[in-house]
Amino acid sequence: MRTSRNSVSLILALLCCLLILRAANSSRLQHSPLFANFLGGDKGTLDDIATNGTRWAVLVAGSTEWWNYRHQADVCHAYQILKKAGLKDENIIVFMYDDIAYNKENPMPGVIINKPNGTDVYNGVPKDYTGENATTHNLFSVLLGNKTALTGGSGKVLDTSPDDYVFIYYTDHGGPGVVEMPDKPLYADELNKVLKYKHKANGYKNMVFYLEACESGSMFEGLLPTNINIYVTTASNATEDSWAEYCPDYGAPATFDTCLGDLYSISWLEDCDAKDLRSETLQQQYEAVRDRTLKGTAFNGSSHVMQYGDLSLSVNFLSSYMGSNPPSSSHESSATDALSPYVKVPQRDADLLHFQHKVRKSAAGSSENLEAQKKLRDEVARREHIDYSINHVGNLLFGSENGSKMLSYVRAAGQPLVDDWDCLKTLVSAYEKYCGSLSTYGLKYMRHVANLCNAGVTADQMVAASIKTCS
């Protein structure tokens, strides 16, 4: 009896110690690989994947044109990491326009690099959805596993089971509540609707989503539930730019007139190159990427990397989603805890930098020089028109004293950008019909248009103001 009581007392004492230790050091333990899956409950372990589930990945570069080189470079780099870590091509689905590798301006034809003096990341990348097939419709069809809805492409979809682990990575331009695709904008409400439907259909066990774009936090803030087993990090919060990296005159080789990568993206990609995916958790990578991205303030810009969704998944190892091969001992990567020596460029201004660089580097009076000057003038003029017309519409609707304040209002953290997403899309269409496309640059004003909806502005009022402004 004494032995039995002593055993019970010892067990109780050990349990109490464990609870106290866990409470006192919850943050430290949460990030420890030793305790990661213990604290993660039933969120999934490597054993689950080995015996039941399959790892899947969808990689998306939403842009076109040479000056957006970096987005396809980011995606190609991501593919190489996943392929090296053991994912099969049949389980990796790639969206990219594929107009970069063999672009006439590429100084390394057939090769794409993601860092100065980097290795080729283009070789072997699947061409699943390229050119006119790299569409928002096809992306949603792929995510939902709906082969019959596809319009072109390889036909690969997320043909997943309830035991599978899904990793999604998107990189491109964006604005409040929207990111770009080659054919049309992809709105936050539509994306979150697809993700929630995928969960309702038991289409995965856990999902991780990394998103690079300006104001990328607005794609999930106030929209993504915390109870559908999806963990998200974004390059920026809901109100700030994300940044291009390794740019002309600021780190890119002299032969390149375009940026090679994006700061958030190369931070997580180079972290994967340098670390053992089997021993680093999502939380640890988030912290490394957050710190490296934020340290950009010492030079030319930074953003706040954010987390959304089910944060309990952050204790999972990267290998649960990206594969389990260790890093190459010969790989040379940037230390993610060090301040980057390169100057960053706001994503929206990378095209201006490209044109300015071409003007400076080309012979005065040459066809190349004149073409670059024209493109630069046209882009500056387009931006000036958008700046003027959006603000003038606001002044017409709210008055000159209140227009600027009403348009730029930012809702409290945790609230979605807009209450009525159909209103937002309708007002954007009305503006563009009379004032021209918002374009990549103009996406920065999506919050302004959303605030018109939140203030009760109707489609007829927007049409009238747009006609008066731009006709």
Side-chain angles (χ1 to χ4, degrees), residues 13 17 22 33 56-57 102 111 113 120 126 160 196 207 236 258 261 327 333 336-337 345 374 379 383 433 450:
C17 289
R22 183 176 177 181
W56 292 79
Y102 291 97
V111 171
I113 59 176
D120 179 23
T160 49
K196 286 186 279 191
M207 180 185 293
S236 64
T258 185
S333 63
T336 57
D337 60 348
V345 177
K374 183 179 185 304
E379 180 59 24
R383 293 180 178 216
K433 180 176 180 179

Side-chain angles (χ1 to χ4, degrees), residues 356-416:
Q356 291 167 347
H357 186 270
K358 289 188 75 69
V359 169
R360 291 198 310 271
K361 297 296 182 180
S362 57
S366 66
S367 59
E368 182 182 16
N369 181 270
L370 295 174
E371 181 182 6
Q373 287 190 53
K374 183 179 185 304
K375 288 182 176 180
L376 180 59
R377 287 195 303 270
D378 289 348
E379 180 59 24
V380 170
R382 177 165 40 249
R383 293 180 178 216
E384 290 175 345
H385 166 71
I386 294 170
D387 292 340
Y388 165 78
S389 59
I390 286 289
N391 286 287
H392 193 263
V393 165
N395 290 338
L396 289 174
L397 293 169
F398 295 131
S400 57
E401 292 185 4
N402 297 321
S404 177
K405 180 179 179 181
M406 292 290 289
L407 288 178
S408 59
Y409 176 75
V410 177
R411 287 179 148 186
Q415 286 189 283

Side-chain angles (χ1 to χ4, degrees), residues 65-105:
E65 303 293 351
W66 171 252
W67 50 83
N68 289 316
Y69 177 105
R70 62 196 182 280
H71 300 133
Q72 293 183 46
D74 294 335
V75 157
C76 290
H77 189 171
Y79 167 80
Q80 301 299 340
I81 288 170
L82 300 176
K83 183 68 173 178
K84 175 186 173 184
L87 270 68
K88 300 177 181 178
D89 279 356
E90 65 193 63
N91 301 123
I92 305 174
I93 305 169
V94 179
F95 281 76
M96 64 178 187
Y97 205 76
D98 197 24
D99 59 345
I100 299 302
Y102 291 97
N103 191 289
K104 64 180 182 180
E105 296 196 57

Side-chain angles (χ1 to χ4, degrees), residues 398 406 409 411 416-421 423-424 427 447-457:
F398 295 131
M406 292 290 289
Y409 176 75
R411 287 179 148 186
L417 173 74
V418 66
D419 296 322
D420 186 344
W421 288 88
C423 171
L424 175 61
L427 295 197
R447 186 179 309 281
H448 291 53
V449 183
N451 284 334
L452 298 179
C453 289
N454 294 335
V457 171

Side-chain angles (χ1 to χ4, degrees), residues 253-314:
T255 53
F256 278 82
D257 55 20
T258 185
C259 302
L260 305 183
D262 295 289
L263 180 55
Y264 160 85
S265 291
I266 59 99
S267 294
W268 79 260
L269 291 164
E270 292 178 8
D271 183 74
C272 287
D273 286 332
K275 305 289 182 60
D276 188 334
L277 305 182
R278 300 167 300 180
S279 62
E280 184 176 28
T281 66
L282 291 164
Q283 178 66 26
Q284 288 170 329
Q285 181 164 88
Y286 160 73
E287 292 175 359
V289 174
R290 176 199 64 193
D291 293 347
R292 180 176 178 182
T293 304
L294 190 58
K295 284 179 179 177
T297 52
F299 289 95
N300 200 34
S302 67
S303 61
H304 295 82
V305 177
M306 303 296 289
Q307 294 172 303
Y308 299 95
D310 186 351
L311 302 190
S312 71
L313 294 181
S314 66

Side-chain angles (χ1 to χ4, degrees), residues 422-423 426-427 430-431 434 453 456-466:
D422 288 335
C423 171
T426 298
L427 295 197
Y431 167 86
Y434 299 100
C453 289
V457 171
T458 67
D460 288 342
Q461 290 174 310
M462 185 64 167
V463 167
S466 298

Side-chain angles (χ1 to χ4, degrees), residues 181-235:
M181 287 290 287
D183 63 325
K184 65 177 184 178
L186 187 163
Y187 282 87
D189 67 315
E190 299 167 348
L191 175 61
N192 282 273
K193 182 179 179 180
V194 166
L195 296 178
K196 286 186 279 191
Y197 189 90
K198 187 72 171 178
H199 175 261
K200 186 177 180 180
N202 294 317
Y204 60 90
K205 183 176 180 67
N206 295 330
M207 180 185 293
V208 169
F209 199 133
Y210 284 6
L211 195 151
E212 167 90 58
C214 292
E215 290 93 13
S216 46
S218 65
M219 294 297 291
F220 300 101
E221 187 159 327
L223 296 171
L224 181 68
T226 60
N227 61 351
I228 60 173
N229 291 4
I230 297 179
Y231 168 81
V232 171
T233 75
T234 61

